Amino acid sequence: MSNEPTSAPTGASPGTPTGASPAPDAAAWVRTARGALTRYRVMAWITGVMLLLLTVEMALKYVLHAGGYDAEGELRPVLGAWIAYAHGWIYVLYLATVFQLWSTLRWPLGRLVTMAAAGVVPVMSFVLERRVHADADTRIAAAARTSA
């Protein structure tokens, strides 16, 4: 059996060799990748800040018992219950941007898992965002040079 592909890659026109794609498609990919990277960076920072707020809330509430108890004997929120709800929904948006960037750049599955985990481990989103940005920016810049 042959290891050669049976059809041209997506985006290649019939007259284009299998390994190359036309310049407009490469330029469009660069724009898409830059947009996905920008959205990821913004959501990584927002998710990281909200996770830090949630961590402070949990530490104050459960470790220091700073909020006290309500009439039913439940611990009351210190900074507000909205932090947990907001972080939950922001994390969902973060996962969508992670998936978009991951699929655009066609990274391995391990990178997707690591990027998704960064939204639930305090401070990890800030650290990983810098690394992901550097890797993605290098790849996007190389693609931009070849399409120009």
Side-chain angles (χ1 to χ4, degrees), residues 24-136:
D25 287 344
W29 181 87
V30 168
R31 281 192 308 277
T32 300
R34 282 188 179 142
L37 180 59
T38 300
R39 284 185 292 279
Y40 165 75
R41 292 186 76 192
V42 168
M43 288 310 300
W45 276 90
I46 292 172
T47 302
V49 168
M50 289 305 296
L51 184 57
L52 287 177
L53 282 174
L54 183 62
T55 303
V56 168
E57 165 73 22
M58 294 297 112
L60 289 172
K61 183 176 178 179
Y62 293 110
V63 176
L64 302 176
H65 302 289
Y69 294 91
D70 63 10
E72 288 83 33
E74 298 290 323
L75 286 170
R76 290 185 301 198
V78 179
L79 301 175
W82 65 271
I83 293 174
Y85 300 125
H87 172 68
W89 285 108
I90 287 170
Y91 182 68
V92 170
L93 295 174
Y94 171 76
L95 287 177
T97 60
V98 163
F99 183 79
Q100 182 186 30
L101 181 63
W102 172 78
S103 63
T104 300
L105 294 178
R106 297 177 186 234
W107 278 330
L109 184 61
R111 174 70 62 99
L112 174 66
V113 171
T114 304
M115 290 168 66
V120 294
V121 178
V123 184
M124 187 175 167
S125 67
F126 303 119
V127 174
L128 193 63
E129 182 273 328
R130 288 186 57 87
R131 184 172 180 187
V132 165
H133 177 257
D135 292 349

Side-chain angles (χ1 to χ4, degrees), residues 6-21:
T6 56
S7 64
T10 306
S13 60
T16 306
T18 304
S21 63

